[in-house]
């Protein structure tokens, strides 16, 4: 009897945790089966479905995080390349000034 009560408590906790499961407890009745057994089975099936949905969502989140990390790595590479180009540009401007030439400033607009 204790194992049955423990099982019922666990199923009740599941019903509270899983969306749309509270309705399942004690609502399904049929002449051929124990109503508690049918509702317990319904709660367990909804719990299994909910866990499967969570697993799929988790996989999608992990994939998005991996994609985001790849983008961050690429952005870091681009930033490093930009710094290198800016430094090279500064060196070239200084060389022009050293030879008595004034570097032209390019005006950039919205259309590039």
């Amino acid at each position: 009897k204790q194992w049955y009560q423990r099982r019922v408590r666990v199923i009740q906790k599941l019903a509270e945790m899983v969306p749309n499961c509270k309705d399942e407890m004690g609502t399904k009745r049929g002449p051929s089966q124990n109503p508690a057994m049918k509702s317990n089975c319904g709660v367990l099936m909804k719990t299994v479905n909910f866990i499967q949905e969570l697993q799929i969502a988790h996989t999608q989140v992990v994939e998005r995080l991996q994609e985001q990390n790849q983008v961050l790595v690429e952005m870091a590479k681009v930033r490093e390349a930009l710094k290198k180009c800016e430094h090279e540009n500064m060196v070239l401007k200084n060389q022009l000034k050293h030879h008595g030439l004034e570097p032209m400033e390019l005006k950039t607009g919205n259309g590039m």
Side-chain angles (χ1 to χ4, degrees):
K1 180 127 178 154
Q2 282 183 330
W3 66 268
Y4 179 78
Q5 290 174 345
R6 238 180 302 153
R7 186 177 71 179
V8 168
R9 280 194 302 269
V10 168
I11 292 174
Q12 287 172 341
K13 285 182 185 179
L14 288 173
E16 291 171 6
M17 294 171 62
V18 176
N20 301 321
C21 249
K22 286 183 182 179
D23 307 345
E24 199 70 38
M25 293 304 293
T27 58
K28 294 205 173 178
R29 301 192 188 280
S32 62
Q33 288 187 346
N34 179 350
M37 189 64 156
K38 286 184 91 174
S39 64
N40 288 346
C41 186
V43 169
L44 293 175
M45 287 302 297
K46 285 185 178 185
T47 301
V48 168
N49 291 338
F50 183 63
I51 291 171
Q52 289 172 335
E53 291 171 9
L54 288 176
Q55 287 174 326
I56 291 168
H58 174 73
T59 300
Q60 292 171 343
V61 167
V62 168
E63 289 171 358
R64 286 188 199 120
L65 284 174
Q66 288 172 342
E67 291 170 3
Q68 193 174 33
N69 285 336
Q70 289 174 348
V71 168
L72 290 174
V73 167
E74 289 299 316
M75 284 177 60
K77 289 178 184 178
V78 168
R79 281 190 189 109
E80 190 61 37
L82 177 62
K83 284 181 184 179
K84 193 174 183 179
C85 288
E86 287 172 340
H87 177 72
E88 184 180 341
N89 191 29
M90 185 181 67
V91 168
L92 292 172
K93 283 181 178 181
N94 287 335
Q95 286 178 355
L96 284 173
K97 285 180 184 178
H98 180 73
H99 291 290
L101 300 170
E102 197 60 38
M104 284 182 17
E105 291 295 324
L106 296 177
K107 294 182 181 180
T108 57
N110 290 340
M112 290 166 100

